[in-house]
Amino acid sequence: MINRAMNILLVEDNPADARLVQEMLAEANGLAPHLERADRLSQALTRLRQGGIDVVLLDLSLPDSHGLDTLRRLRAGAPEVTVIGLTGHHDESAAIAAVEAGAEDYLVKGRFDREVLTRALRYAMARQRAEAALTRERDLLSTFMDNVPDLIYFKDAASRFLRVNRAQAEVLGVDPEEAVGKTDFDFFTPEHAQAAYADEQQIIRTGRPIVGKLERIRTASGKFLWVSTTKVARRDSSGQIVGTFGVTRDISEARRAQGELEQFFMLAQDMLCIAGFDGYVKRISPVCEKIFGYTPEEVQAQPFLTFVHPEEHPKWLAELQKLSAGGVTHEFESRARCRDGSYKWILWNAAADLGEGLIYASGRDITERKEAELASQALLASIVQSSEDAIIGKDLDGRIVSWNKGAERIYGYTAEEVLGKPISILMPSGRAEELAQIMARLKRGEAIPAHEADRMAKGGKRLSVSVSISPLRDADGRVTGASAIARDITEQKRAEAALQRNISFVKLLQRVAMAANQATSVKEAIQQCLELICAHIGCPIGHACLLAADPAAGLSPTTLWHLDPGASFETFRRSVEAGDSLLAASLVASVRNTGRPVWAADTESDVHFQGAVLARRCGIRSGFCFPVLAGTEVVGVLAFFSTALLERDDACLEVMAHVGTQIGRVVERQRAEDAIRKLNEDLDRRVRDRTAELEAINKELEAFTYSVSHDLRAPLRHIDGFSKILMDEYTPRLPPEAQKYLERVRLGAQHMGRLVDDLLRLARVGRQGLALADTSLDALVHDVIQNLQGEASGRQVEWKVGCLPRVTCDPALIKQVFQNLLSNALKYTRTRPQAVIEVNCASGDGEDIFVVRDNGVGFDMKYADKLYGVFQRLHRSEDFEGTGVGLAIVQRIIHKHGGRVWAEAEPDKGAAFFFTLGPWEGA
Amino acid sequence: MSFKAAEILLIEDSPGDVRLTQEALEAGKVKNHLSVVGDGVKAMAYLRQQGKYAAACRPDLILLDLNLPRKDGREVLAEIKADERLKRIPVVVMTTSDAEEDVLKTYGLHANCYITKPVDFESFIAVVKAIDEFWFSVVRLVAND
């Protein structure tokens, strides 16, 4: 430090004085000063703030400050720096004032030389350093004192506090400064203060310290503390005892813990026990008497193994071994003998302090729980034994370690046969992977929930079981093995499978029936069945053979196929369709001959595969086919082929037989439809032929009618006309006899003319259509009566016409009807002096019934069926003229209207003719 | 009143009917001159005054039988009604047939009257007389006004 350059700041406004100092320092030996200068206080302060200045030479009289104030201001700005005042006055009081104001030294200008200046600088520096070191020491002590949790004080010889630390002051309830000068009597109970005073005076007298004295003090806040106090004598530099120094430690927490521990030991219901590796119990909590009936003293008097159940001595020795090796005893269950000779189950936990050679243990009486547990274990064991399910224990190597009756029943092995054998004997071959996976999961501690698995019983019988497997753990939670619970579900699975199969068959049959019902042709039905069956069985190929159009040609392959994609299937199809497939031909022949389904299950041994090189080359390994039966006739064969070896399945064949019958019904239906169509066609043709025939006849009839009307009437007219001319012009030359004959000729011709006219009218009614119109029958009937007035002249005729409705009819034809009926009525009443002719209408049965009634000669009803026949007459023409066509015309007109006509009569009692009109009547 | 004899053309193939018609017309009141042709071809020649009928009179009334040889009555009627010079001559269609077809066709061809020749000779006379009177008393009087 002395060799380092001293950095000096000279604060001096007088250049001459500054120069003087500068020169003095330049000559100074061993100081190697570095001098800077400021001529203002403000300038000096600025420089000092930058640091690096060791000493300031301060002129107290500066332009910006004067006197002691200059010093104070500098100190305020730079408290650490060493200052030496410079002044022009030689004034002792000024020098003292300067030092008191913070200067290290004081020099008077003009009165110091180089030597004085150098020394002053050196001393000032040394003083400053010593002070700094002292201050540091004091600060460290204060920091320690104020932060230590212990109570620390310094007292004088009269036991007055000289100084206390913060912790002590807190206990006293004052600030540290307030305690100074006070005594314990000011803060504590007189008893405590007196005891402390006595102790301290003794130390002062004897010089011997008091160490770790246990005291109970009451703090200012009213809290009681257990403390440990150490007091020593305090000596001055000459070794004279001048007071005491004390440290007090709060040990309340430790004391409480100790007390609690003791209580715990005395009161705990579990036994707490400290034992030595020498085999004796050192201490045991009194509860042992309650458990064993032995007092702690009795227990401690004998080696503890005396109390252990003899069977368990080896277990105990092993456990002690473990403890001595630093291990821990965890839930060690053991039986201990009681005073009455009985045993109690104790659960021990223990750890050893090997340094002390002691074992610290706690033991709990678990006798009750243990007995319940043993009882339930026994129960469990009996359940396991009697369970219907197989309950199998195995170790981690997969060896069987337990085997109950259920396992024996399900798998067929006795316990003796399987214990120690690998569990794999229950697995079908090739399941090593599955077993390995199961074991791996178990080792990881995973339970394997119930799942279905294939197993093998003694003798190789395959079983389906539902099995769940759980890992077994030892007391430390390590997996040591597993237990499997298995239930035999073989029957259940079989029943389920059978049920599923039946359901699927029923569904298939339903679909087939639907397809058969909805199909519009046999081919469509077969195509759908091929698809359905292939999808159902999982066959790649399905094909149909059907009776050819010519039944004599027998069954021949159709182009109806279900074919999965594949070149070899395509090859097979071509060979079947070409009739080259021996397999297909042979199967079809079998079915045709027997009328029964055929199954070709085995490529090697089945007769149908003999020589079927192509089919085999196409990959076909099995097949089946069944007949399509119409009644008992085989009308087709459906064949299915597979590349797999399909096992013969009789249930399936039975279903297929049903399918064949269903398709057969479609065939029958189509046959029936064909027959009906053929019949219809025949009928149509016959109707057409007949119609043409009838049309031809009709034409002929028309031609006939025409020629009758034309050709027959002309000669008649000539016969009549020329007879008349003959009579008129040759009367004088003709004898009266001849004239009478000519008259006869004329009457005959005229009658024939009427016959011809009536016949023509009848024919016309048959031919022409109805010209329907709304018609007033009332007006129509009066019209007819008017026309008949000529015929009625000279006779007594009473016309009784009732209320007649308006109807829809052909008025011309209905007029003809009334004309004929009324004309008849008039004619057949001719013999009556008073003719009564009635026309009326009655409503009955929802239709109008018209009646024309007369009081004429009537007729015998037994001839009623002849009324409407053409040329049929019930009276002699000598009595009543007529052609016998009128009623035939009436009937034809009424029938044309859709109505009915009938008559009621009695000879000599008059006649009544009834008719109705068609359904459009009144419309 | 004095009238020129009515000129009547009877187109009829049946000699019996011709005779009977003549008889009936003679029984009538109207003086008439009856010309007769036996078929349709001759009838048209007559009406058009062709060939040997070049001097034939234009008839006042035509009595036409429908059933004629060579050209039948329907064709004759159609030609008459299509001929501007002839169509105004009244045509009475006389036939033994009252078949409906004949009736309709004939009316479609605008015959002026249609009658069926009755078998009964008295009726026939009555019919002819009725035509006779209608056409030569009523119609011609109107025409002459």
Side-chain angles (χ1 to χ4, degrees), chain A residues 306-332:
Chain A
T306 330
F307 301 100
V308 171
H309 195 288
E311 283 175 12
E312 290 171 0
H313 284 184
K315 206 165 93 179
W316 271 77
L317 290 174
E319 201 63 26
L320 288 169
Q321 192 72 39
K322 194 167 90 185
L323 281 169
S324 69
V328 168
T329 292
H330 177 71
E331 302 202 337
F332 178 74

Side-chain angles (χ1 to χ4, degrees), chain A residues 129-445:
Chain A
R129 278 188 198 122
E131 244 168 59
L134 201 60
T135 304
R136 220 163 28 245
E137 285 300 313
R138 192 187 61 221
D139 287 348
L140 281 174
L141 189 63
S142 292
T143 305
F144 166 73
M145 289 265 292
D146 288 342
N147 290 296
V148 75
D150 290 346
L151 283 53
I152 297 174
Y153 65 85
F154 298 90
K155 283 180 180 171
D156 61 12
S159 285
R160 283 189 301 255
F161 286 111
L162 290 172
R163 173 125 185 235
V164 299
N165 73 342
R166 198 170 297 282
Q168 177 75 65
E170 252 167 50
V171 168
L172 301 180
V174 293
D175 282 341
E177 293 76 24
E178 286 178 70
V180 176
K182 300 225 166 76
T183 67
D184 284 345
F185 291 95
D186 295 316
F187 301 106
F188 300 110
T189 56
E191 294 77 25
H192 174 71
Q194 189 55 58
Y197 181 78
D199 285 347
E200 286 155 15
Q201 291 308 310
Q202 187 192 325
I203 291 165
I204 289 169
R205 270 198 317 278
T206 63
R208 278 203 301 274
I210 292 173
V211 178
K213 182 183 180 190
L214 191 66
E215 290 176 320
R216 198 151 188 265
I217 59 168
R218 185 177 184 276
T219 68
S221 61
K223 209 164 92 181
F224 284 97
L225 298 178
W226 281 103
V227 295
S228 164
T229 303
T230 295
K231 296 180 179 178
V232 295
R234 205 164 53 78
R235 298 170 193 267
D236 65 8
S237 49
S238 63
Q240 191 69 38
I241 292 173
V242 290
T244 53
F245 161 73
V247 177
T248 303
R249 177 161 292 176
D250 178 2
I251 55 165
S252 306
E253 269 313 309
R255 267 192 70 89
R256 185 155 54 249
Q258 181 69 26
E260 280 168 359
L261 208 58
E262 197 60 26
Q263 283 292 85
F264 200 67
F265 202 86
M266 299 305 286
L267 298 177
Q269 290 304 292
D270 284 351
M271 275 183 297
L272 302 176
C273 176
I274 302 168
F277 283 107
D278 58 1
Y280 281 87
V281 169
K282 306 292 175 200
R283 187 168 177 200
I284 187 162
S285 55
V287 77
C288 71
E289 189 174 356
K290 214 169 99 191
I291 295 171
F292 301 130
Y294 291 114
T295 64
E297 292 71 28
E298 286 168 329
V299 172
Q300 288 159 20
Q302 297 186 56
F304 51 69
L305 276 179
T306 330
F307 301 100
V308 171
H309 195 288
E311 283 175 12
E312 290 171 0
H313 284 184
K315 206 165 93 179
W316 271 77
L317 290 174
E319 201 63 26
L320 288 169
Q321 192 72 39
K322 194 167 90 185
L323 281 169
S324 69
V328 168
T329 292
H330 177 71
E331 302 202 337
F332 178 74
E333 289 179 4
S334 165
R335 280 166 291 174
R337 184 168 52 78
C338 304
R339 182 184 283 280
D340 63 5
S342 67
Y343 284 92
K344 289 223 161 154
W345 279 98
I346 308 294
L347 178 75
W348 290 105
N349 287 299
D353 183 334
L354 295 179
E356 294 174 335
L358 289 178
I359 299 163
Y360 294 86
S362 73
R364 171 169 296 180
D365 179 5
I366 55 162
T367 309
E368 241 171 75
R369 191 190 84 194
K370 192 70 188 172
E371 276 169 2
E373 202 175 282
L374 288 172
S376 86
Q377 265 174 15
L379 185 66
L380 204 63
S382 76
I383 289 170
V384 166
Q385 269 312 309
S386 61
S387 170
E388 286 291 299
D389 293 342
I391 300 173
I392 302 164
K394 59 187 173 191
D395 62 20
L396 284 182
D397 299 327
R399 265 191 296 276
I400 297 169
V401 296
S402 75
W403 185 260
N404 74 340
K405 288 280 180 215
E408 193 172 317
R409 194 179 53 77
I410 291 172
Y411 293 104
Y413 295 101
T414 62
E416 291 70 39
E417 284 174 299
V418 291
L419 286 179
K421 297 267 171 53
I423 193 81
S424 59
I425 64 166
L426 302 179
M427 312 278 277
S429 57
R431 302 297 180 89
E433 178 72 8
E434 181 191 338
L435 184 60
Q437 279 178 4
I438 289 175
M439 293 311 293
R441 287 177 66 182
L442 290 168
K443 282 174 187 165
R444 286 199 299 272

Side-chain angles (χ1 to χ4, degrees), chain A residues 2 8 12 42 67 96 108 300 302 414 456 550 593 617 641 648 671 752 831 907:
Chain A
I2 209 85
I8 300 167
E12 174 62 73
S42 56
I96 289 166
V108 178
Q300 288 159 20
Q302 297 186 56
T414 62
M456 201 167 62
D550 173 14
N593 293 340
R617 202 182 299 141
F641 301 98
R648 182 186 171 87
R671 283 177 169 181
M752 190 162 174
T831 56

Side-chain angles (χ1 to χ4, degrees), chain A residues 658-781:
Chain A
H658 281 298
V659 173
T661 310
Q662 292 277 3
I663 302 172
R665 288 197 184 128
V666 180
V667 172
E668 284 176 336
R669 200 173 71 207
Q670 186 156 356
R671 283 177 169 181
E673 279 169 6
D674 287 350
I676 286 172
R677 188 160 49 245
K678 195 159 174 301
L679 263 177
N680 277 337
E681 280 166 4
D682 283 356
L683 197 61
D684 278 354
R685 200 180 56 248
R686 289 225 300 274
V687 167
R688 269 198 310 278
D689 292 352
R690 189 82 185 119
T691 307
E693 213 172 291
L694 283 173
E695 278 167 1
I697 290 170
N698 237 2
K699 283 225 172 72
E700 276 169 35
L701 200 61
E702 271 174 50
F704 172 72
T705 306
Y706 189 82
S707 74
V708 162
S709 75
H710 189 266
D711 298 347
L712 286 187
R713 276 167 59 95
L716 285 172
R717 200 166 56 244
H718 294 174
I719 292 166
D720 184 64
F722 287 106
S723 299
K724 172 77 170 121
I725 293 166
L726 202 55
M727 282 166 73
D728 289 353
E729 295 184 5
Y730 298 92
T731 309
R733 281 183 263 170
L734 282 176
E737 191 79 11
Q739 287 183 32
K740 210 157 91 186
Y741 291 152
L742 278 175
E743 195 61 42
R744 282 275 178 88
V745 167
R746 287 196 64 202
L747 283 173
Q750 284 166 16
H751 183 62
M752 190 162 174
R754 281 195 297 278
L755 280 171
V756 169
D757 286 348
D758 281 352
L759 273 178
L760 286 174
R761 203 170 293 129
L762 181 66
R764 243 200 347 265
V765 167
R767 261 205 341 272
Q768 73 193 25
L770 290 176
L772 294 173
D774 182 38
T775 306
S776 164
L777 289 183
D778 209 47
L780 188 141
V781 166

